[in-house]
Amino acid sequence: MASLREATLRKMRLFSEMRGKPVAPGKFWDVVALTAADEKQELAYKQQLSEKLKRKELPLGVQYHVFTDPAGTKIGNGGSTFCALQCLESLYGDKWKSLTVLLIHSGGYSQRLPNASALGKIFTALPVGEPVYQMLELKLAMYVDFPACMKPGVLVTCADDIELYSIGDSESIAFDRPGFTALAHPSSLAVGTTHGVFVLDSASSSQHGDLEYRQCHCFLHKPSIEDMYHFNAVHRQGSVGQQDLAGGDTACLPLHSEYVYTDSLFYMDHESAKKLLDFYESVGPLKCEIDAYGDFLQALGPGATAEYTRNTAHVTKEESQLLDMRQKIFHLLKGTPLNVVVLNNSKFYHIGTTEEYLLHFTSDSTLRSELGLQSVAFSVFSNVPECSHETPCVIHSVLDSGCHVAPGSVVEYSRLGAEVSIGENCIISGSVIANTVLPPHSFLCSLSVEMSGHVEYSTMVFGMQDNLKKSVKTISDIKTLQFFGVCFMSCLDIWNLDATEELFSGSQTHLSLWTARIFPVCSSLSESVAASIGMLRAVQSRSPFNLRSFKLLSIQEMLLCKDVRDMLAYREQIFLEISANKRQSDSGKS
């Protein structure tokens, strides 16, 4: 896949040249907007954007915004899209009809990748670039060619996926047709069951190169394999052209295998965006969850029917308004064209869970090669064996040369002392660790928290296999929860804590590891890490560790009282130390 790597690195070079400089009109986005789940997240995003602009990490002359979902009902990324359109119109008035807008859905608290919970998935660090890229910079780099070939409108994408593609030198992806235009990637049928799948109009194309423009007959959202066959969404490799199709989160598809085209981002022209906005303003506040992919795209194309509006298999919470709202959206958008840009030499990667994060940053050489990811990115650490197949990954951190990090683990924004040994497949984030052996498959992430006007620290720790989202309704059921593979009730005995309702924050009918008040609050970062590692060791050795002497927080509470400014100041300290170290080693070489 050399062509994919070359195309990707060209975009990254182009974006690097734009960082910290004003961009010419029409050469980049007019507006880049992030969605946020609530006001706390909005503030965190605004602070980080402001820091990035100050440090010249983003192109200048662009309007960067954060749009927050209204309080109350969870409205999904479709609801967030409605709200963002309303914000655009109130900020820009009629002028927004001439703007190219990138809308990145980044609300939510990423319970499946908790090191992204405090500061947001869109600010997840990547092991590439100096200073390191976060997901925001990577998105902007990967889409760097789009604005110049786009009519006014809105490009909608998510914060935790990466789309890589290669097309011919003389070709470009144009978002210039009426209605909606979506990118499509060849994927296995198994991947199709967890994505949107395009049923292409067979008469709409005769070419079969890296880039094809097709019309979509209808769009299937997370369909069964039977439905893919039933709707003629399945293609057979070898029957069209002989190129080996890329596979992204799947392995490369073997020749003659069957595949489908799955979704990633989509564009809507200004007229379609305005139609959605007018509709939203006519129906008033949403009382249900709307999916921008499932509920908007399924209404499009000549083959769309209203049948999907009754399918609630993929809805997290079924609200009474949902069916009615879906049917209204279907009738609103019915007949709107869905254009598909088929990218035969492309890949789609998702980095929304701890497993995906570790896989792509440490053991999967494919993405590392395509993006030029490094084992040690913008860090002080001297002893990583670059030659081995599987290495650790160290991002924006200072590690003593005497410490050991096992292959398959990621360390970000942390300081590790000489006597520290990190087991394999661990994630360490925002922590200060001294002389400790951390067992394999551990997750450790420290946050600054504001308590009664003071900055204190709390560190969440658990096992990689622990399910933070799993909740039970009653105290007697918490025995089914597991912490580091051990029954949660047994852990409470070890920590000298009582199983009462006071042990949990938030709703008393959703008791989970996310809402369990078990993490100590300490006055320094290193003490906080030591205390949390102590409670983990106690569970592993089945020896008592008294948590009653500490003030305790749940992860949910840590996020509510996080001190973003202090966390960013801590990262800045590490940044300055790494920069000074680099200057010193550069002057030593010259």
Side-chain angles (χ1 to χ4, degrees):
M1 285 299 163
S3 60
L4 211 51
R5 176 181 164 82
E6 282 163 28
T8 300
L9 296 184
R10 177 193 67 80
K11 292 177 198 123
M12 291 171 87
R13 276 195 302 273
L14 202 55
F15 176 72
S16 271
E17 288 161 16
M18 293 180 169
R19 290 176 97 178
K21 300 190 188 92
V23 286
K27 292 293 181 193
F28 200 67
W29 304 97
D30 297 316
V31 172
V32 174
L34 310 180
T35 62
D38 53 38
E39 286 176 1
K40 256 328 232 194
Q41 201 170 55
E42 176 192 9
L43 184 64
Y45 289 3
K46 283 182 170 172
Q47 284 175 325
Q48 288 173 94
L49 283 172
S50 156
E51 289 283 322
K52 280 182 183 295
L53 288 166
K54 203 162 64 187
R55 290 224 301 239
K56 304 205 162 166
E57 292 176 12
L58 296 173
L60 309 178
V62 178
Q63 295 299 316
Y64 294 95
H65 296 295
V66 183
F67 297 145
T68 311
D69 290 350
T73 313
K74 188 179 175 187
I75 57 175
N77 56 21
S80 296
T81 303
F82 283 134
C83 294
L85 297 177
Q86 193 172 45
C87 293
L88 284 168
E89 184 155 270
S90 66
L91 279 168
Y92 295 100
D94 268 356
K95 192 187 163 198
W96 83 286
K97 68 172 65 157
S98 63
L99 301 177
T100 55
V101 178
L102 175 61
L103 176 63
I104 307 175
H105 285 301
S106 39
Y109 277 107
S110 56
Q111 287 170 278
R112 296 184 303 161
L113 186 64
N115 52 313
S117 295
L119 297 175
K121 274 187 211 174
I122 194 62
F123 297 102
T124 302
L126 298 155
V128 67
E130 278 195 27
V132 292
Y133 276 40
Q134 293 179 325
M135 279 299 274
L136 176 59
E137 285 89 328
L138 185 65
K139 288 259 163 199
L140 295 176
M142 292 304 98
Y143 306 162
V144 75
D145 297 330
F146 292 168
C149 303
M150 178 173 157
K151 283 192 170 171
V154 182
L155 191 84
V156 178
T157 186
C158 295
D160 57 2
D161 56 45
I162 300 169
E163 301 91 0
L164 306 182
Y165 65 91
S166 167
I167 55 178
D169 291 342
S170 59
E171 295 178 312
S172 58
I173 295 176
F175 297 100
D176 58 359
R177 302 181 180 199
F180 286 67
T181 301
L183 298 190
H185 311 271
S187 301
S188 69
L189 274 58
V191 168
T193 61
T194 59
H195 284 258
V197 171
F198 299 101
V199 179
L200 300 178
D201 181 347
S202 56
S204 66
S205 175
S206 54
Q207 76 224 64
H208 297 295
D210 287 345
L211 173 69
E212 302 171 49
Y213 287 94
R214 305 280 292 267
Q215 287 295 310
C216 185
H217 179 67
C218 65
F219 176 84
L220 312 174
H221 187 56
K222 299 184 180 178
S224 66
I225 287 175
E226 295 73 36
D227 278 347
M228 292 179 213
Y229 282 113
H230 175 71
F231 286 99
N232 293 325
V234 180
H235 303 261
R236 192 169 184 80
Q237 208 164 315
S239 59
V240 298
Q242 289 295 318
Q243 75 270 30
D244 185 20
L245 297 172
D249 274 340
T250 58
C252 282
L253 300 166
L255 198 61
H256 300 300
S257 65
E258 293 183 313
Y259 63 96
V260 290
Y261 284 113
T262 55
D263 63 344
S264 59
L265 56 84
F266 68 84
Y267 157 86
M268 50 185 162
D269 67 347
H270 178 77
E271 287 69 22
S272 302
K274 183 76 172 100
K275 190 190 270 191
L276 284 174
L277 173 60
D278 291 344
F279 166 77
Y280 176 59
E281 292 188 328
S282 73
V283 295
L286 286 179
K287 299 280 191 296
C288 63
E289 206 173 325
I290 295 296
D291 183 42
Y293 293 81
D295 293 321
F296 295 168
L297 299 191
Q298 279 190 113
L300 308 175
T305 69
E307 200 173 315
Y308 73 87
T309 59
R310 290 182 287 279
N311 178 4
T312 54
H314 302 292
V315 177
T316 53
K317 193 176 176 194
E318 198 175 327
E319 304 285 358
S320 55
Q321 197 195 22
L322 181 65
L323 179 61
D324 179 51
M325 189 55 65
R326 277 181 164 180
Q327 288 180 338
K328 282 179 175 161
I329 292 170
F330 171 74
H331 291 296
L332 173 81
L333 294 177
K334 185 165 170 51
T336 305
L338 176 53
N339 310 289
V340 177
V341 181
V342 172
L343 296 170
N344 282 317
N345 188 9
S346 70
K347 289 192 182 182
F348 174 93
Y349 291 96
H350 189 256
I351 302 191
T353 68
T354 52
E355 290 83 0
E356 290 167 340
Y357 178 85
L358 287 178
L359 170 73
H360 293 313
F361 287 4
T362 64
S363 59
D364 178 24
S365 58
T366 325
L367 181 65
R368 288 172 70 194
S369 160
E370 288 158 357
L371 277 181
L373 301 183
Q374 301 155 288
S375 294
V376 180
F378 194 70
S379 293
V380 177
F381 185 41
S382 52
N383 59 352
V384 172
E386 279 296 337
C387 54
S388 72
H389 162 62
E390 194 174 341
T391 62
C393 175
V394 180
I395 309 170
H396 195 119
S397 295
V398 176
L399 278 61
D400 190 284
S401 58
C403 85
H404 171 73
V405 183
S409 290
V410 178
V411 177
E412 61 163 13
Y413 301 115
S414 294
R415 294 175 186 276
L416 272 54
E419 301 297 312
V420 172
S421 179
I422 305 296
E424 60 193 27
N425 300 324
C426 293
I427 295 175
I428 314 294
S429 179
S431 301
V432 172
I433 310 181
N435 38 358
T436 293
V437 175
L438 194 68
H441 309 288
S442 301
F443 180 98
L444 190 80
C445 175
S446 305
L447 271 63
S448 309
V449 290
E450 191 182 325
M451 310 291 290
S452 315
H454 300 286
V455 178
E456 301 203 62
Y457 302 89
S458 190
T459 297
M460 59 179 95
V461 64
F462 44 84
M464 282 299 194
Q465 298 305 312
D466 294 346
N467 183 351
L468 303 190
K469 286 185 108 164
K470 179 180 176 176
S471 67
V472 295
K473 290 189 166 64
T474 64
I475 291 293
S476 59
D477 287 334
I478 65 173
K479 59 181 177 291
T480 63
L481 301 177
Q482 290 202 329
F483 175 88
F484 230 96
V486 175
C487 164
F488 191 55
M489 280 293 205
S490 307
C491 297
L492 296 180
D493 288 342
I494 289 165
W495 299 327
N496 192 23
L497 295 177
D498 297 328
T500 63
E501 290 190 347
E502 286 68 50
L503 183 71
F504 294 90
S505 61
S507 160
Q508 291 304 308
T509 55
H510 286 85
L511 313 175
S512 66
L513 290 185
W514 189 260
T515 61
R517 292 183 172 122
I518 54 174
F519 299 110
V521 177
C522 300
S523 56
S524 79
L525 198 44
S526 53
E527 283 174 332
S528 147
V529 171
S532 291
I533 289 176
M535 61 184 273
L536 168 60
R537 280 219 187 108
V539 167
Q540 289 204 301
S541 62
R542 303 292 202 277
S543 52
F545 184 85
N546 189 1
L547 280 181
R548 280 183 188 242
S549 55
F550 294 96
K551 170 156 182 62
L552 302 173
L553 292 178
S554 66
I555 302 174
Q556 183 185 55
E557 289 172 322
M558 279 187 216
L559 296 175
L560 286 173
C561 54
K562 67 190 172 193
D563 188 317
V564 173
R565 196 158 275 127
D566 192 70
M567 284 189 273
L568 293 180
Y570 162 72
R571 290 182 177 189
E572 177 72 8
Q573 274 179 342
I574 297 178
F575 176 87
L576 294 172
E577 193 173 326
I578 295 167
S579 301
N581 182 279
K582 282 189 176 297
R583 281 194 299 273
Q584 202 176 345
S585 66
D586 289 347
S587 63
K589 285 173 195 164
S590 55

